[in-house]
Amino acid sequence: MAVFRCVLVLVAIAAVASAKAHKPDPTARDMMPFEKVDTNKDGRASHQELEEFMLKNTALLDGLLGKGREAEKEAVINKLKRTAATLFKHADKDKDNHLSKKEYDASIDKASKKFMEVLQTEVMALLMKKEL
């Protein structure tokens, strides 16, 4: 009987682990919903709203880079701003200088991935430079 209970417990643990393993990772759209980006609630996201949302955690760069590297941090932020502007331009299919929810939803996953790639590349380059 004890063996049977152990087998049942192991099957239950495996089932829970399997269910968790098959849970899809949240997308950028899940983590950055349009409603949070559209801060003035006009139903469209401006370049400024998107940039502010994407750059709101840049204070974390201080922790990564250390104090006294303000010029380097500012260079990274400027690169991220240029990247956000380019991504916004590509997402704005109707060229009205705003993203509708449809335009945003269609582009945010790819745009967020590209933005994070640029951030990683820039930060890693600075960290490597710091180590040298």
Side-chain angles (χ1 to χ4, degrees):
M1 188 65 149
V3 173
F4 182 69
R5 273 189 252 170
C6 286
V7 169
L8 284 177
V9 169
L10 289 175
V11 168
I13 291 171
V16 169
S18 177
K20 286 184 179 180
H22 287 81
K23 184 178 178 184
D25 290 333
T27 64
R29 199 175 344 159
D30 296 331
M31 295 184 295
M32 299 171 51
F34 179 80
E35 294 74 22
K36 293 213 186 236
V37 175
D38 179 21
T39 55
N40 68 3
K41 306 299 179 210
D42 66 352
R44 42 192 211 157
S46 69
H47 171 263
Q48 181 179 351
E49 288 172 314
L50 184 63
E51 181 182 283
E52 286 174 4
F53 190 88
M54 294 182 93
L55 293 172
K56 71 180 181 179
N57 292 317
T58 55
L60 297 173
L61 289 174
D62 287 334
L64 289 170
L65 300 177
K67 298 292 181 188
R69 298 183 76 178
E70 283 74 23
E72 292 169 316
K73 178 184 168 187
E74 196 61 36
V76 170
I77 291 172
N78 287 334
K79 173 90 180 226
L80 293 173
K81 286 180 178 183
R82 289 190 305 274
T83 300
T86 300
L87 295 170
F88 183 90
K89 182 179 174 182
H90 289 295
D92 184 17
K93 298 299 183 193
D94 63 6
K95 306 300 178 206
D96 67 348
N97 293 318
H98 290 88
L99 299 182
S100 66
K101 183 173 185 336
K102 183 178 178 181
E103 288 172 321
Y104 178 87
D105 287 346
S107 63
I108 193 59
D109 288 329
K110 185 177 177 181
S112 176
K113 182 179 178 184
K114 178 64 179 168
F115 186 85
M116 292 308 294
E117 287 171 357
V118 170
L119 176 61
Q120 286 178 321
T121 300
E122 294 299 313
V123 170
M124 289 304 294
L126 288 176
L127 290 175
M128 296 299 287
K129 183 177 169 183
K130 182 179 177 181
E131 295 295 319
L132 297 177

